[in-house]
Amino acid sequence: MSTVEKIEIGRQQPLEMDSRGRVTIPANIREKHKIQPEEGKEIWVEVELKWAEIEDEEEGGDT
């Protein structure tokens, strides 16, 4: 029988998504809230997507 612990975090922070669609939760946040992945444990994180900022390095900038 598995045990489930739910941790309320209540934090908003913009995070960068890589080219494969993955978002990494920074180590300092994982450590602060004790959500470090361990062998044999699954961690699910509820995510609310409010906005996306898309930066195009090819456009704009100094020329």
Side-chain angles (χ1 to χ4, degrees), residues 29-51:
I29 295 173
R30 295 192 315 265
E31 180 62 33
K32 179 179 180 180
H33 299 288
K34 307 293 186 239
I35 54 172
Q36 294 287 0
E38 297 176 16
E39 189 69 34
K41 291 186 177 180
E42 285 186 356
I43 296 179
W44 289 83
V45 179
E46 183 175 321
V47 177
E48 179 179 350
L49 300 173
K50 291 186 176 188
W51 53 267

Side-chain angles (χ1 to χ4, degrees), residues 13-28:
Q13 178 167 340
L15 301 172
E16 183 178 358
M17 181 173 57
D18 71 11
S19 62
R20 292 182 59 189
R22 297 176 295 194
V23 175
T24 301
I25 299 172
N28 64 326

